[in-house]
Amino acid sequence: MLISVLFKFFHDLGGAIYDPMILARTNGSATVLASTASAAGIGGVTGAILLSAWGGPKRRVTGMLAGFIGAGVSKTVFGLGRSPAVWLPAQVCSSLNFPLLGSSRAAAQGI
């Protein structure tokens, strides 16, 4: 539970400065902002398709931790990046992990 709370806190804290950071570093380019949001969507859908085909790990806690680590590292790279060439792949990689994280957490909690 503590890991989930810490992850959500830092993830949502970063989410609060996501749009302003992109707009500030691109001189207000709505196109770049929309592209990063689209990359997140593409990553999430791709992750869900891959997870559906694979079925996920047998140990759900392993899936949760892998999702936390994958999303966290990707968001760290995203935050350190200064251009769309870094932001777009980082968004895809981050969003690839959320279906694994969410489904493993739900299965571990018996939801």
Side-chain angles (χ1 to χ4, degrees), residues 72-98:
V73 169
S74 298
K75 284 295 185 179
T76 301
V77 169
F78 180 89
L80 294 173
R82 299 208 170 256
S83 70
V86 175
W87 297 330
L88 296 175
Q91 275 296 84
V92 170
C93 291
S94 174
S95 295
L96 276 171
N97 292 287
F98 280 97

Side-chain angles (χ1 to χ4, degrees), residues 9 14 26-30 34 38 46 49 51 67 86 88:
F9 175 77
T26 61
N27 292 325
S29 175
S38 296
T46 304
I49 291 169
L51 185 64
V86 175
L88 296 175

Side-chain angles (χ1 to χ4, degrees), residues 18-84:
Y18 170 87
D19 292 351
M21 179 192 78
I22 291 171
L23 293 172
R25 291 185 176 168
T26 61
N27 292 325
S29 175
T31 303
V32 174
L33 182 60
S35 296
T36 56
S38 296
I42 290 167
V45 170
T46 304
I49 291 169
L50 293 172
L51 185 64
S52 295
W54 169 40
K58 299 292 182 220
R59 296 189 62 207
R60 299 304 178 194
V61 172
T62 303
M64 280 177 47
L65 294 176
F68 286 138
I69 292 168
V73 169
S74 298
K75 284 295 185 179
T76 301
V77 169
F78 180 89
L80 294 173
R82 299 208 170 256
S83 70

